[in-house]
Amino acid sequence: MNYKNFPMVPRVIFGRGSFNQLNEIIAPKRLSMDAPFIYLVDDVFKSNSWLTSRILLSYDDRIIYISTEEEPKTTQVDNLVEDIILSTKERPSGIIGIGGGSMLDIAKAVAIMLTNEGETKSYQGWDLVKNPGLYHVGIPTLSGTGAEVSRTTVLTGPEKKLGINSDYTPFDQVLLDPELTRSVPREQWFYTGMDCFIHSVESLQGTYLNAFSKSYGEMAFDLCKEVFLNDTDLSKEEAEDKLMMASWHGGMSIVYSQVGIAHAMSYGLSYVLGIKHGIGNCIVFDQLEEFYPKGVALFKAMKKKQGIQLPKGVCTDLNEEQMDAMIDMALRLEPLWENALGKNWRRKISSKQLKQLYLKM
């Protein structure tokens, strides 16, 4: 049997206030005065001097603020790469992504596309990247997506929503500072945390499960229960610390396995309706009792305890063409279905079943 030899993030620093060490961490990686560091920062921090004032720019270093109102697109990455190439004297020393999962995915994709020819859409898939990307650093300001540790980026292209899944995608350095998550709105905190919980459920119940992914999945699962169901409420700091570690473990749990039905179907929601990944996963998972009975029961208990109301009727007004596009997008993600239902998954799920599930959402 051939076992996959996956790369992991080689360097990680964890701790409250560790963001202050960013400059000393990246300084040895500077290639020259004309090779800047490019900071890709979620534009919610544009007026947040508490964070931005601690980014120390030298020489031609530059901050590019990016809106993550919409899911990341391949064309967005292409435009950023062109802008960086035209505005720098030499190839940058590195890309530093600061933000939630969308921002981290954009940073990973930009680092790859600065060293690989062509358009980003050509690299959507598994192991299509030929050259190592630029040195890239991930600094999450949300906990749950696992983007800080995964070997994929989630991008919407002209024809599909699919990541650049490669050995060159993972960050070279990750900085985990739970303090950076302190201003996350409550609903977003829940939706992103549930992304992590769903990672663990889909990994633990998948046919790809092994001792490696199981150990990480169980840790993420237990930490999410502590954060979202604990009757003796944790302090805000404890919850931030635990959820950041849950995110890391949830991401690790799918490195050597895979996600499942909720992710496949939420990709469809995102591709057709532009629904963001975290809330999309929640909308889908809420209807998947048939496939993940225990996980969905726990999810509903967490939703009730946290006072979260999910949007209703998001697929009600879809026309036939939109519904077909959503179903087609979901079914393209074959590894996710195989993990969820086994090698004969096509016999166990149909377009008609998916349509019935979507219409409940």
Side-chain angles (χ1 to χ4, degrees), residues 23-171:
N23 195 54
E24 66 182 81
I25 290 168
I26 65 173
K29 299 295 182 180
R30 188 180 296 278
L31 301 174
S32 78
M33 289 189 297
D34 293 328
F37 284 108
I38 307 294
Y39 295 81
L40 304 180
V41 182
D42 192 314
D43 71 356
V44 299
F45 296 108
K46 200 167 188 176
S47 57
N48 186 336
S49 60
W50 172 78
L51 185 142
T52 54
S53 64
R54 292 190 280 165
I55 298 175
L56 304 177
L57 302 180
S58 304
Y59 309 112
D60 294 329
D61 292 351
R62 180 181 170 200
I63 296 175
I64 302 175
Y65 290 103
I66 298 169
S67 170
T68 55
E69 281 297 307
E70 296 184 353
E71 292 280 278
K73 294 181 171 59
T74 56
T75 51
Q76 182 183 19
V77 174
D78 291 335
N79 292 336
L80 279 166
V81 169
E82 183 179 13
D83 175 25
I84 291 167
I85 289 171
L86 293 175
S87 64
T88 53
K89 297 171 189 171
E90 293 181 9
R91 182 181 282 179
S93 293
I95 304 294
I96 292 103
I98 304 175
S102 293
M103 197 69 259
L104 299 184
D105 282 343
I106 289 171
K108 288 189 282 190
V110 167
I112 283 171
M113 292 311 302
L114 281 165
T115 59
N116 287 272
E117 295 180 352
E119 295 178 292
T120 305
K121 67 181 182 182
S122 304
Y123 296 92
Q124 284 182 285
W126 280 266
D127 300 309
L128 301 174
V129 180
K130 303 293 186 241
N131 304 313
L134 290 188
Y135 173 75
H136 49 306
V137 179
I139 305 174
T141 60
L142 266 174
S143 291
T145 69
E148 65 274 15
V149 70
S150 77
R151 73 187 293 272
T152 193
T153 69
V154 182
L155 300 172
T156 301
E159 296 175 6
K160 56 195 170 188
K161 179 177 176 181
L162 189 61
I164 300 173
N165 196 313
S166 81
D167 282 356
Y168 300 124
T169 306
F171 286 109

Side-chain angles (χ1 to χ4, degrees), residues 265 268 315 323 326 330 354-361:
M265 293 187 71
C315 297
M323 180 61 77
M326 190 177 284
L354 287 191
K355 183 176 181 179
Q356 289 171 344
L357 284 168
Y358 276 132
L359 287 174
K360 288 182 182 178
M361 297 172 192

Side-chain angles (χ1 to χ4, degrees), residues 197 205 289 292-299:
F197 177 70
Q205 207 172 308
E289 295 100 330
Y292 305 107
K294 291 181 181 177
V296 172
L298 270 174
F299 169 77

Side-chain angles (χ1 to χ4, degrees), residues 89-277:
K89 297 171 189 171
E90 293 181 9
R91 182 181 282 179
S93 293
I95 304 294
I96 292 103
I98 304 175
S102 293
M103 197 69 259
L104 299 184
D105 282 343
I106 289 171
K108 288 189 282 190
V110 167
I112 283 171
M113 292 311 302
L114 281 165
T115 59
N116 287 272
E117 295 180 352
E119 295 178 292
T120 305
K121 67 181 182 182
S122 304
Y123 296 92
Q124 284 182 285
W126 280 266
D127 300 309
L128 301 174
V129 180
K130 303 293 186 241
N131 304 313
L134 290 188
Y135 173 75
H136 49 306
V137 179
I139 305 174
T141 60
L142 266 174
S143 291
T145 69
E148 65 274 15
V149 70
S150 77
R151 73 187 293 272
T152 193
T153 69
V154 182
L155 300 172
T156 301
E159 296 175 6
K160 56 195 170 188
K161 179 177 176 181
L162 189 61
I164 300 173
N165 196 313
S166 81
D167 282 356
Y168 300 124
T169 306
F171 286 109
D172 299 295
Q173 170 79 57
V174 167
L175 192 155
L176 300 174
D177 183 346
E179 282 185 359
L180 301 185
T181 67
R182 70 183 190 185
S183 60
V184 177
R186 181 171 180 78
E187 286 195 344
Q188 191 176 18
W189 168 79
F190 179 81
Y191 295 142
T192 312
M194 287 302 98
D195 188 16
C196 173
F197 177 70
I198 294 165
H199 282 161
S200 66
V201 171
E202 292 184 322
S203 172
L204 290 169
Q205 207 172 308
T207 63
Y208 291 0
L209 186 66
N210 53 71
F212 184 98
S213 53
K214 185 180 180 185
S215 62
Y216 284 106
E218 287 175 341
M219 179 63 74
F221 186 87
D222 290 342
L223 285 167
C224 284
K225 284 201 298 183
E226 277 191 67
V227 171
F228 294 105
L229 271 183
N230 201 318
D231 289 329
T232 56
D233 289 333
L234 301 170
S235 70
K236 193 170 189 301
E237 290 76 16
E238 287 175 317
E240 288 167 355
D241 289 1
K242 286 178 182 290
L243 192 56
M244 186 159 269
M245 290 319 301
S247 180
W248 181 269
H249 284 80
M252 285 298 299
S253 75
I254 57 174
V255 165
Y256 219 93
S257 61
Q258 191 48 273
V259 284
I261 297 170
H263 277 74
M265 293 187 71
S266 79
Y267 274 41
L269 281 182
S270 176
Y271 181 65
V272 174
L273 295 173
I275 292 174
K276 297 200 78 171
H277 184 69

